């Protein structure tokens, strides 16, 4: 099975559409690692699109905030404004769908899906090998898919010394083999708000039988999303950062 792996769409419809066009239907399923809303200007359009795709999804911290399951005071001021705006926008149907998503890691064959990390699914950021290393005991499958950091990355546990973990930045457009008995934590990056100094949308194509992973990037019309954000009076800082990919 070929899986389109997306994460952190953050209500950026132009980015989501660019990813879907780039993937050209070359997948049998869609897995979404959370934060479908928050920051961006099209929460309903994005959730509706993700639902139409029949995506298997988990909940992210921004989804939780939109659902009022947490105090917005935990967010910085600009994120908080976007959360409050998102709450007003979301239809009851889309709210219900977000509310139905699991907060606990979801197992699909050899893959565990979660937003932040397997030991702290909604909140923890896996940004360093040491954090990744501390998480291998919290999932039972060979592989774990995470989002949340908005940075495409792989964390590979060396089979000979279980504690040693290496981070590996992907080469975009190159398919790599995951097999060989290694346990790997994989992050596809963010569709709607990349933070690795590359403003293009990030996603991945996973082949679950061949056990291959291909990280990809695609440009999208950033100015379209920015114009919608301005019209919605979302914070200028959130509008500007899309152009820098940070
Ligand atoms: Zn996010």
């Amino acid at each position: 099975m070929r899986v389109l792996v997306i994460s952190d769409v953050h209500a950026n419809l132009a980015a989501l559409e660019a990813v879907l066009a780039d993937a050209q239907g070359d997948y049998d399923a869609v897995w979404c690692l959370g934060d479908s809303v928050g920051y961006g200007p099209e929460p309903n359009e994005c959730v509706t699109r993700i639902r139409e795709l029949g995506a298997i999804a988990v909940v992210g911290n921004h989804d939780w905030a939109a659902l009022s399951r947490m105090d917005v005071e935990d967010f910085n001021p600009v994120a908080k404004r976007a959360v409050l705006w998102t709450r007003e926008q979301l239809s009851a149907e889309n709210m219900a769908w977000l509310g139905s998503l699991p907060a606990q890691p979801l197992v699909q064959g050899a893959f565990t899906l979660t937003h932040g990390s397997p030991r702290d699914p909604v909140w923890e950021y896996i940004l360093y090998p040491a954090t990744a290393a501390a998480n291998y005991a919290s999932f039972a499958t060979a592989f774990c898919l995470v989002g949340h950091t908005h940075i495409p990355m792989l964390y590979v546990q060396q089979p000979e010394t279980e504690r040693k973990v290496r981070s590996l930045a992907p080469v975009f457009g190159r398919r790599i083999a995951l097999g060989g008995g290694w346990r790997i934590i994989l992050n596809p990056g963010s569709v709607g708000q990349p933070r690795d100094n590359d403003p293009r949308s990030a996603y991945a194509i996973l082949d679950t039988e061949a056990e291959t992973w291909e990280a990809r990037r695609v440009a999208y019309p950033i100015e379209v999303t920015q114009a919608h954000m301005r019209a919605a009076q979302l914070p200028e800082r959130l509008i500007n950062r899309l152009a820098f990919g940070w």
Side-chain angles (χ1 to χ4, degrees):
M1 182 172 68
R2 286 173 69 78
V3 183
L4 169 65
V5 184
I6 57 174
S7 189
D8 297 278
V9 171
H10 282 298
N12 187 338
L13 186 66
L16 178 59
E17 292 295 356
V19 163
L20 295 174
D22 193 58
Q24 293 181 337
D26 182 25
Y27 49 86
D28 313 299
V30 179
W31 292 354
C32 173
L33 306 176
D35 276 6
S36 300
V37 302
Y39 295 131
E42 289 123 341
N44 279 311
E45 292 82 349
C46 287
V47 170
T48 301
R49 199 78 176 92
I50 292 166
R51 287 172 55 201
E52 282 169 1
L53 292 165
I56 289 174
V58 292
V59 79
N61 54 316
H62 282 261
D63 305 323
W64 253 28
L67 290 161
S68 307
R69 289 196 188 161
M70 51 165 290
D71 195 342
V72 284
E73 300 310 322
D74 290 347
F75 281 82
N76 67 54
V78 289
K80 180 179 147 185
R81 257 175 72 195
V83 166
L84 296 175
W85 180 85
T86 301
R87 277 183 191 168
E88 287 169 15
Q89 304 299 313
L90 278 170
S91 69
E93 215 183 347
N94 285 335
M95 230 12 145
W97 182 80
L98 286 172
S100 73
L101 302 180
Q104 288 308 307
L106 202 63
V107 174
Q108 296 285 308
F111 300 85
T112 297
L113 284 58
T114 187
H115 181 62
S117 77
R119 69 174 178 182
D120 189 358
V122 179
W123 290 107
E124 186 176 41
Y125 292 88
I126 299 184
L127 281 163
Y128 308 103
T131 321
N135 267 285
Y136 284 90
S138 300
F139 65 101
T141 55
F143 311 107
C144 182
L145 308 183
V146 302
H148 196 36
T149 65
H150 300 205
I151 297 172
M153 196 63 73
L154 276 72
Y155 294 95
V156 183
Q157 190 186 43
Q158 311 287 62
E160 57 278 11
T161 66
E162 288 209 340
R163 253 164 296 174
K164 198 154 188 213
V165 172
R166 273 183 52 196
S167 61
L168 200 71
V171 176
F172 300 109
R174 184 186 295 171
R175 191 177 308 163
I176 59 160
L178 304 176
W182 293 12
R183 297 187 75 210
I184 309 176
I185 295 173
L186 305 106
N187 190 326
S190 168
V191 170
Q193 195 202 71
R195 291 181 193 164
D196 58 339
N197 303 311
D198 182 341
R200 297 175 300 165
S201 291
Y203 72 100
I205 295 286
L206 167 70
D207 189 317
T208 58
E209 271 109 51
E211 292 192 341
T212 59
W213 176 263
E214 185 180 331
R216 293 184 182 171
R217 291 315 272 257
V218 60
Y220 73 96
I222 294 170
E223 66 288 352
V224 169
T225 300
Q226 290 176 320
H228 290 154
M229 290 175 83
R230 271 193 199 99
Q233 293 182 296
L234 286 163
E236 200 63 29
R237 218 184 105 197
L238 296 179
I239 298 171
N240 292 336
R241 71 186 299 174
L242 293 179
F244 302 106
W246 187 81

